[in-house]
Amino acid sequence: MTIPVEERFNRWQKHFFRPLEEGRPADWELIAQFGEEPPVECHSITGLISWLYGAVYSGDEREDTQFFFRYHIVKPLHQNCTMWGQRSQILYGPAVIHDNTVPPPWASEEEQEEWEEMEFSDEPPVEWNILTERTLIQSLLQNGALRLMERKDAYILRANADIRKRTCGDCRACRFLVEEQGRTICQAQRQWTGADAEYGQTCGDFSPNSNGSASDQYIRIDAEDVYLPPWTVQTYFGLGDESRKGSRLDASWITEMKEQLHNYEVYERDHGNE
């Protein structure tokens, strides 16, 4: 028997985020508010993205799937900018996926004519970078769409010496490794794992153990506080490196994603009301 997607999401969401309740102090790692929605607390980046999108998100998804997750989070914000006459761009690293001053390839003739009549401000474009979860969060903070606080003892979004210098990033070094039903589980992603699993070295939710300095205090997170790993920063200097062929940093991959996006938007335009 197949469990409906909505029911599966409702079953799992309690592990990733929960609403703040009056009289119950927050104790999860992140507190977030998106637009005018009620604030929630989340354990991890995975939980935060799941809440923003409205479905369970996993860092183990294929990159093209992750691309569409992140794209759909910023798409309404990008469209709002168009309505307000504010220039806006959706970026994937340095590559422009959407520029709202240019009609998209899937626009009908009527829509293209309307586009030509639009007026936009002379202000620099608002940028929504969906290269990674961290660039997405940074963009949302930079553009005032998201407010975020992090527990003082949890270094999930912020960098510290432990993260930069760690030589052993296996799961036992992470705050999210917990015992459950006699086994070790990653509390951030709700996946069974082993204490010696090397996945911690590349996991986007990795947060070093507090080493006894636990704190229930929270600090505000601004865009500049979000740590971007060196490889993420390097991608802003351009695509097309021959060593990256077949990866998400290859220009041909970007072209493929644009084509998939084009096909999806055409389908939505033609069948969205069915």
Side-chain angles (χ1 to χ4, degrees), residues 135-188:
T135 62
L136 167 63
I137 293 168
Q138 190 178 64
S139 296
L140 294 173
L141 290 169
Q142 184 69 51
N143 298 324
L146 178 68
R147 284 180 282 182
L148 200 56
M149 299 183 74
E150 185 175 68
R151 266 180 60 148
K152 198 172 182 179
D153 65 328
Y155 289 88
I156 299 170
L157 294 168
R158 296 168 292 148
N160 70 354
D162 291 335
I163 295 177
R164 291 194 293 268
K165 295 179 181 178
R166 63 188 166 91
T167 57
C168 179
D170 57 26
C171 289
R172 72 162 55 85
C174 180
R175 71 185 290 122
F176 291 123
L177 186 73
V178 296
E179 290 282 338
E180 193 170 300
Q181 298 178 15
R183 300 173 62 185
T184 51
I185 188 172
C186 171
Q187 190 178 43

Side-chain angles (χ1 to χ4, degrees), residues 182-240:
R183 300 173 62 185
T184 51
I185 188 172
C186 171
Q187 190 178 43
Q189 299 189 15
R190 299 304 300 175
Q191 298 288 340
W192 299 113
T193 187
D196 58 350
E198 296 182 355
Y199 180 65
Q201 297 176 9
T202 57
C203 176
D205 283 317
F206 181 90
S207 177
N209 288 316
S210 61
N211 296 324
S213 58
S215 172
D216 59 359
Q217 296 180 332
Y218 288 83
I219 61 173
R220 173 179 166 175
I221 299 296
D222 295 318
E224 57 269 24
D225 298 322
V226 179
Y227 174 67
L228 299 181
W231 75 265
T232 304
V233 176
Q234 291 167 5
T235 63
Y236 285 93
F237 293 97
L239 302 175

Side-chain angles (χ1 to χ4, degrees), residues 5-60:
V5 173
E6 183 177 353
E7 183 178 342
R8 277 187 280 138
F9 175 60
N10 290 336
R11 287 186 183 184
W12 279 79
Q13 72 172 47
K14 63 182 179 182
H15 298 295
F16 292 102
F17 59 87
R18 64 184 182 185
L20 289 179
E21 297 178 4
E22 186 175 352
R24 176 177 57 78
D27 62 353
W28 286 10
E29 285 74 9
L30 300 171
I31 298 176
Q33 184 174 25
F34 186 49
E36 299 302 320
E37 295 184 18
V40 300
E41 53 182 330
C42 313
H43 272 309
S44 61
I45 292 176
T46 294
L48 178 60
I49 301 297
S50 297
W51 171 62
L52 291 171
Y53 182 73
V56 174
Y57 176 87
S58 170
D60 290 335

Side-chain angles (χ1 to χ4, degrees), residues 102-113 115 262 266 269:
V102 179
W106 54 82
S108 63
E109 290 186 10
E110 182 180 350
E111 289 172 328
Q112 290 185 25
E113 292 176 0
W115 226 281
H262 173 221
V266 168
R269 183 194 66 195

